[in-house]
Every structure is written in C-alpha cells, then in structure tokens.
Amino acid sequence: MFSKKLLKFAAIGITSIAILAGCSTSEASDSKDKGDSSKVRTVKVAFDQASKPISYIDDQGNPTGYDVEVMKLVDELLPDYKFEYVGTTSDDLLIGVEQGKYQVGVKNAFFTEERTEKFIYPKEFLGLSSAGLVLRKEDENIKSLKDFATAGYSLAPIAANNAQYTVIDEYNKKNPNNKVKLKAGDAFTIDIVQWVNEGRVDGGVMIEGPFNQQVTAKDGAYHKLANDVVYNEFAVIKTWPLYNKKEQKFADAYDKAIKQIKEQQKTNELSKKFYDRDLFEVLEQAER
C-alpha cells in the first residue's frame, strides 16, 4: 500500500513538473516573439490621396495606386519595418517629409536638384511617368515642347515647387531661342483640362494616368470632352519616393527591396494594372 502511494505521488509530481516546464517554454517563446516585434519600427508613408491612379483612396477607404502598391511590396521584404500609410495633400506631403512628420512620401515625384537639399533620393527609382501636353483637338499636331514653343502657345501656370515646372525650365535653358512661355502659378495643381477646354490657355502639362482617369475613362469627370481635348506625350520620366534627411538607413533598405521587386517584374505588372501600359518597356527613352 505504501509503495502504491509513493508511486502515485511521484506520478503527480512528474506531471506537475512537465506542466510547469511547458508553461515556462511557452512564456519564453511568447517573450521571444514580443522581443522580436518590439524591434519592428513603424514608419509613416505619406501619399497624395487625390492622384488616381498614381496614389489614392479606393471606394473601401483603402490606400492604393501604383506608388502605394509598390511600397506595399517593399514593406513585405522589410521585416524590420511596418508601413503606416497616411493620405494627404501634395503640399503637406512635401512639408511633412521634410520636417520628419512622415519618414517617406510618394507622389509621382520627379528628380530635381533643389529637392536633394530637402530630401534623400534613394539609388533606385520607384516607377515611370508619362508627361504630356493637354491640347485642344485642333492642336493635336503639336507633339513636343519644341512644337509648342514654336507655335508661341500659352502654357497653364505651374507652381514653382512642382517638378513639372523644373522639366519645362530645363527645356527652356537648353533652348534659349525657342522657349516655352513658362509662368509660375500660385496653386500646386490646377484644372488643366478645364483651362484648355475653356481657352484660358493653349495647353498644359499633365501626367498620362490622371488624364486617362479624367477624360478617357467612361466614368471620368471630363469624359464628355474626350473628343475635344488630346494628350500628347513629350517625355517619359523616372519617379521616386522622397525620404526624410535622417532616413538614410531606411532608404538603403528600400533600395535592396525595390531592386528585387523590379527583377521579378512586379513593377511592370503594376504599371499595366494602373496605367494600362507597361512603361518599363520604354525605360530607355526616359530622359531624366
């Protein structure tokens, strides 16, 4: 009898030890997981929320668009970072990234020397953008900035801090005897299609994606003008994410990730999805 009781107590003791050991292992595992998650840094990714199909908020309230979806792929390859997307205006994005309110911003940004003083441009570009002239149908023979300047046409004002201004300014510096009439505007963006259609100006610089969304798409705000205005591409330009000056490590991590994404041609797929064309097929034609 005594022997049986000893065996019973021994069995209970072993079971208790096993349970305690299991709890200890589970707690250690949980502690390890929490320790790993605590190393993950949340970074704010600002995006222009009114620039469809480049970056915008969809009908379900989710951030999307070419720039945003590429950054989501980057996020998947960076276990040390968690991206938090913040929809905002183009102006706030520029100011916010410069001041550190956001760590990075995406807005179909072109490269300009002036911006390198305020932001970090990574080594790898994010995507490609088609820049063109919006013209009245009767002026569709104007195919380039040279043609536009030669005709002596008026151009819609462009804000001086808008990289599109820099593109035209660069053309003028290279062609001092045939300049485009460039005027700095007060607003970062204006209603180009409406200005051209009303005859307030002869043409305006616009990105192909937004033009297609506004005019070509059947549900576009200006689809009724599809036969009255045209879009003539004059350049294909690389676009970049803009990083806060203190985010060099983050920018370096982005470079490694985006390079892999491009090699897998995922950027090509997204270009087709959002722009209805693979702009990477004309990468060699990119002028800047």
PDB file of all heavy atoms in Angstrom, residues 118-137:
ATOM      1  N   LYS A 118      16.515  69.009 -49.588  1.00  0.00           N
ATOM      2  CA  LYS A 118      15.498  68.793 -48.560  1.00  0.00           C
ATOM      3  C   LYS A 118      15.199  67.331 -48.293  1.00  0.00           C
ATOM      4  O   LYS A 118      14.743  66.986 -47.197  1.00  0.00           O
ATOM      5  CB  LYS A 118      14.193  69.489 -48.982  1.00  0.00           C
ATOM      6  CG  LYS A 118      14.321  70.991 -49.172  1.00  0.00           C
ATOM      7  CD  LYS A 118      12.988  71.579 -49.612  1.00  0.00           C
ATOM      8  CE  LYS A 118      13.085  73.084 -49.800  1.00  0.00           C
ATOM      9  NZ  LYS A 118      11.771  73.658 -50.242  1.00  0.00           N
ATOM     10  N   PHE A 119      15.453  66.474 -49.281  1.00  0.00           N
ATOM     11  CA  PHE A 119      15.082  65.064 -49.167  1.00  0.00           C
ATOM     12  C   PHE A 119      16.224  64.143 -49.589  1.00  0.00           C
ATOM     13  O   PHE A 119      17.137  64.554 -50.303  1.00  0.00           O
ATOM     14  CB  PHE A 119      13.856  64.754 -50.048  1.00  0.00           C
ATOM     15  CG  PHE A 119      12.700  65.691 -49.876  1.00  0.00           C
ATOM     16  CD1 PHE A 119      12.438  66.678 -50.816  1.00  0.00           C
ATOM     17  CD2 PHE A 119      11.866  65.585 -48.774  1.00  0.00           C
ATOM     18  CE1 PHE A 119      11.369  67.548 -50.671  1.00  0.00           C
ATOM     19  CE2 PHE A 119      10.786  66.446 -48.615  1.00  0.00           C
ATOM     20  CZ  PHE A 119      10.543  67.432 -49.561  1.00  0.00           C
ATOM     21  N   ILE A 120      16.107  62.897 -49.165  1.00  0.00           N
ATOM     22  CA  ILE A 120      17.007  61.852 -49.659  1.00  0.00           C
ATOM     23  C   ILE A 120      16.325  61.184 -50.843  1.00  0.00           C
ATOM     24  O   ILE A 120      15.185  60.722 -50.740  1.00  0.00           O
ATOM     25  CB  ILE A 120      17.282  60.780 -48.583  1.00  0.00           C
ATOM     26  CG1 ILE A 120      18.132  61.360 -47.449  1.00  0.00           C
ATOM     27  CG2 ILE A 120      17.990  59.564 -49.203  1.00  0.00           C
ATOM     28  CD1 ILE A 120      18.329  60.380 -46.293  1.00  0.00           C
ATOM     29  N   TYR A 121      17.014  61.162 -51.963  1.00  0.00           N
ATOM     30  CA  TYR A 121      16.581  60.361 -53.100  1.00  0.00           C
ATOM     31  C   TYR A 121      17.340  59.047 -53.030  1.00  0.00           C
ATOM     32  O   TYR A 121      18.569  59.040 -52.998  1.00  0.00           O
ATOM     33  CB  TYR A 121      16.917  61.048 -54.426  1.00  0.00           C
ATOM     34  CG  TYR A 121      15.913  62.071 -54.892  1.00  0.00           C
ATOM     35  CD1 TYR A 121      16.016  63.404 -54.500  1.00  0.00           C
ATOM     36  CD2 TYR A 121      14.877  61.723 -55.749  1.00  0.00           C
ATOM     37  CE1 TYR A 121      15.111  64.362 -54.939  1.00  0.00           C
ATOM     38  CE2 TYR A 121      13.964  62.676 -56.195  1.00  0.00           C
ATOM     39  CZ  TYR A 121      14.091  63.985 -55.791  1.00  0.00           C
ATOM     40  OH  TYR A 121      13.194  64.930 -56.224  1.00  0.00           O
ATOM     41  N   PRO A 122      16.647  57.910 -52.991  1.00  0.00           N
ATOM     42  CA  PRO A 122      17.352  56.630 -52.954  1.00  0.00           C
ATOM     43  C   PRO A 122      18.062  56.388 -54.292  1.00  0.00           C
ATOM     44  O   PRO A 122      17.901  57.156 -55.246  1.00  0.00           O
ATOM     45  CB  PRO A 122      16.233  55.616 -52.711  1.00  0.00           C
ATOM     46  CG  PRO A 122      15.018  56.266 -53.274  1.00  0.00           C
ATOM     47  CD  PRO A 122      15.180  57.727 -52.999  1.00  0.00           C
ATOM     48  N   LYS A 123      18.823  55.320 -54.379  1.00  0.00           N
ATOM     49  CA  LYS A 123      19.527  54.997 -55.619  1.00  0.00           C
ATOM     50  C   LYS A 123      18.570  54.440 -56.673  1.00  0.00           C
ATOM     51  O   LYS A 123      18.775  54.631 -57.869  1.00  0.00           O
ATOM     52  CB  LYS A 123      20.634  53.982 -55.334  1.00  0.00           C
ATOM     53  CG  LYS A 123      21.749  54.511 -54.446  1.00  0.00           C
ATOM     54  CD  LYS A 123      22.772  53.431 -54.168  1.00  0.00           C
ATOM     55  CE  LYS A 123      23.871  53.941 -53.238  1.00  0.00           C
ATOM     56  NZ  LYS A 123      24.855  52.879 -52.918  1.00  0.00           N
ATOM     57  N   GLU A 124      17.553  53.720 -56.209  1.00  0.00           N
ATOM     58  CA  GLU A 124      16.615  53.063 -57.121  1.00  0.00           C
ATOM     59  C   GLU A 124      15.311  53.855 -57.259  1.00  0.00           C
ATOM     60  O   GLU A 124      14.685  54.210 -56.272  1.00  0.00           O
ATOM     61  CB  GLU A 124      16.293  51.653 -56.616  1.00  0.00           C
ATOM     62  CG  GLU A 124      17.477  50.696 -56.611  1.00  0.00           C
ATOM     63  CD  GLU A 124      17.843  50.224 -58.000  1.00  0.00           C
ATOM     64  OE1 GLU A 124      16.965  50.249 -58.897  1.00  0.00           O
ATOM     65  OE2 GLU A 124      19.012  49.828 -58.200  1.00  0.00           O
ATOM     66  N   PHE A 125      14.916  54.135 -58.506  1.00  0.00           N
ATOM     67  CA  PHE A 125      13.665  54.850 -58.734  1.00  0.00           C
ATOM     68  C   PHE A 125      12.469  53.933 -58.466  1.00  0.00           C
ATOM     69  O   PHE A 125      12.596  52.709 -58.422  1.00  0.00           O
ATOM     70  CB  PHE A 125      13.621  55.417 -60.153  1.00  0.00           C
ATOM     71  CG  PHE A 125      13.566  54.391 -61.256  1.00  0.00           C
ATOM     72  CD1 PHE A 125      12.357  54.000 -61.809  1.00  0.00           C
ATOM     73  CD2 PHE A 125      14.736  53.817 -61.757  1.00  0.00           C
ATOM     74  CE1 PHE A 125      12.293  53.057 -62.825  1.00  0.00           C
ATOM     75  CE2 PHE A 125      14.691  52.879 -62.783  1.00  0.00           C
ATOM     76  CZ  PHE A 125      13.472  52.495 -63.316  1.00  0.00           C
ATOM     77  N   LEU A 126      11.303  54.529 -58.287  1.00  0.00           N
ATOM     78  CA  LEU A 126      10.093  53.792 -57.919  1.00  0.00           C
ATOM     79  C   LEU A 126       9.303  53.332 -59.140  1.00  0.00           C
ATOM     80  O   LEU A 126       8.790  52.217 -59.202  1.00  0.00           O
ATOM     81  CB  LEU A 126       9.205  54.667 -57.037  1.00  0.00           C
ATOM     82  CG  LEU A 126       7.930  54.034 -56.479  1.00  0.00           C
ATOM     83  CD1 LEU A 126       8.273  53.025 -55.392  1.00  0.00           C
ATOM     84  CD2 LEU A 126       7.010  55.113 -55.911  1.00  0.00           C
ATOM     85  N   GLY A 127       9.195  54.214 -60.115  1.00  0.00           N
ATOM     86  CA  GLY A 127       8.413  53.890 -61.303  1.00  0.00           C
ATOM     87  C   GLY A 127       8.709  54.843 -62.432  1.00  0.00           C
ATOM     88  O   GLY A 127       9.718  55.566 -62.416  1.00  0.00           O
ATOM     89  N   LEU A 128       7.833  54.856 -63.417  1.00  0.00           N
ATOM     90  CA  LEU A 128       7.987  55.731 -64.575  1.00  0.00           C
ATOM     91  C   LEU A 128       6.681  56.475 -64.818  1.00  0.00           C
ATOM     92  O   LEU A 128       5.601  55.947 -64.546  1.00  0.00           O
ATOM     93  CB  LEU A 128       8.362  54.922 -65.819  1.00  0.00           C
ATOM     94  CG  LEU A 128       9.751  54.278 -65.784  1.00  0.00           C
ATOM     95  CD1 LEU A 128       9.839  53.155 -66.809  1.00  0.00           C
ATOM     96  CD2 LEU A 128      10.818  55.316 -66.040  1.00  0.00           C
ATOM     97  N   SER A 129       6.811  57.685 -65.334  1.00  0.00           N
ATOM     98  CA  SER A 129       5.630  58.507 -65.558  1.00  0.00           C
ATOM     99  C   SER A 129       5.664  59.095 -66.962  1.00  0.00           C
ATOM    100  O   SER A 129       6.716  59.509 -67.451  1.00  0.00           O
ATOM    101  CB  SER A 129       5.585  59.630 -64.520  1.00  0.00           C
ATOM    102  OG  SER A 129       4.406  60.391 -64.652  1.00  0.00           O
ATOM    103  N   SER A 130       4.515  59.115 -67.594  1.00  0.00           N
ATOM    104  CA  SER A 130       4.383  59.749 -68.906  1.00  0.00           C
ATOM    105  C   SER A 130       3.926  61.186 -68.697  1.00  0.00           C
ATOM    106  O   SER A 130       2.876  61.430 -68.095  1.00  0.00           O
ATOM    107  CB  SER A 130       3.357  58.997 -69.756  1.00  0.00           C
ATOM    108  OG  SER A 130       2.970  59.775 -70.879  1.00  0.00           O
ATOM    109  N   ALA A 131       4.740  62.133 -69.168  1.00  0.00           N
ATOM    110  CA  ALA A 131       4.365  63.549 -69.078  1.00  0.00           C
ATOM    111  C   ALA A 131       3.986  64.021 -70.473  1.00  0.00           C
ATOM    112  O   ALA A 131       4.661  63.703 -71.459  1.00  0.00           O
ATOM    113  CB  ALA A 131       5.530  64.370 -68.536  1.00  0.00           C
ATOM    114  N   GLY A 132       2.893  64.763 -70.569  1.00  0.00           N
ATOM    115  CA  GLY A 132       2.448  65.198 -71.892  1.00  0.00           C
ATOM    116  C   GLY A 132       1.756  66.540 -71.877  1.00  0.00           C
ATOM    117  O   GLY A 132       1.534  67.140 -70.823  1.00  0.00           O
ATOM    118  N   LEU A 133       1.419  66.989 -73.049  1.00  0.00           N
ATOM    119  CA  LEU A 133       0.704  68.251 -73.217  1.00  0.00           C
ATOM    120  C   LEU A 133      -0.775  67.961 -73.460  1.00  0.00           C
ATOM    121  O   LEU A 133      -1.122  67.128 -74.296  1.00  0.00           O
ATOM    122  CB  LEU A 133       1.263  69.028 -74.408  1.00  0.00           C
ATOM    123  CG  LEU A 133       2.664  69.623 -74.239  1.00  0.00           C
ATOM    124  CD1 LEU A 133       3.210  70.063 -75.604  1.00  0.00           C
ATOM    125  CD2 LEU A 133       2.624  70.805 -73.280  1.00  0.00           C
ATOM    126  N   VAL A 134      -1.624  68.644 -72.735  1.00  0.00           N
ATOM    127  CA  VAL A 134      -3.060  68.574 -72.974  1.00  0.00           C
ATOM    128  C   VAL A 134      -3.391  69.738 -73.889  1.00  0.00           C
ATOM    129  O   VAL A 134      -3.065  70.892 -73.597  1.00  0.00           O
ATOM    130  CB  VAL A 134      -3.865  68.688 -71.656  1.00  0.00           C
ATOM    131  CG1 VAL A 134      -5.359  68.708 -71.955  1.00  0.00           C
ATOM    132  CG2 VAL A 134      -3.532  67.525 -70.741  1.00  0.00           C
ATOM    133  N   LEU A 135      -4.030  69.430 -75.023  1.00  0.00           N
ATOM    134  CA  LEU A 135      -4.294  70.423 -76.052  1.00  0.00           C
ATOM    135  C   LEU A 135      -5.718  70.287 -76.568  1.00  0.00           C
ATOM    136  O   LEU A 135      -6.349  69.237 -76.409  1.00  0.00           O
ATOM    137  CB  LEU A 135      -3.325  70.236 -77.224  1.00  0.00           C
ATOM    138  CG  LEU A 135      -1.832  70.218 -76.897  1.00  0.00           C
ATOM    139  CD1 LEU A 135      -1.078  69.421 -77.947  1.00  0.00           C
ATOM    140  CD2 LEU A 135      -1.300  71.644 -76.823  1.00  0.00           C
ATOM    141  N   ARG A 136      -6.199  71.322 -77.219  1.00  0.00           N
ATOM    142  CA  ARG A 136      -7.481  71.205 -77.894  1.00  0.00           C
ATOM    143  C   ARG A 136      -7.305  70.315 -79.129  1.00  0.00           C
ATOM    144  O   ARG A 136      -6.207  70.223 -79.689  1.00  0.00           O
ATOM    145  CB  ARG A 136      -8.003  72.586 -78.299  1.00  0.00           C
ATOM    146  CG  ARG A 136      -8.475  73.436 -77.121  1.00  0.00           C
ATOM    147  CD  ARG A 136      -9.057  74.763 -77.596  1.00  0.00           C
ATOM    148  NE  ARG A 136      -8.038  75.613 -78.194  1.00  0.00           N
ATOM    149  CZ  ARG A 136      -7.234  76.411 -77.488  1.00  0.00           C
ATOM    150  NH1 ARG A 136      -7.352  76.464 -76.160  1.00  0.00           N
ATOM    151  NH2 ARG A 136      -6.344  77.159 -78.102  1.00  0.00           N
ATOM    152  N   LYS A 137      -8.355  69.650 -79.532  1.00  0.00           N
ATOM    153  CA  LYS A 137      -8.302  68.709 -80.643  1.00  0.00           C
ATOM    154  C   LYS A 137      -7.681  69.321 -81.892  1.00  0.00           C
ATOM    155  O   LYS A 137      -6.906  68.660 -82.604  1.00  0.00           O
ATOM    156  CB  LYS A 137      -9.723  68.217 -80.958  1.00  0.00           C
ATOM    157  CG  LYS A 137      -9.818  67.208 -82.075  1.00  0.00           C
ATOM    158  CD  LYS A 137      -9.206  65.879 -81.689  1.00  0.00           C
ATOM    159  CE  LYS A 137      -9.453  64.841 -82.795  1.00  0.00           C
ATOM    160  NZ  LYS A 137      -8.848  63.529 -82.459  1.00  0.00           N
TER     161      LYS A 137
END
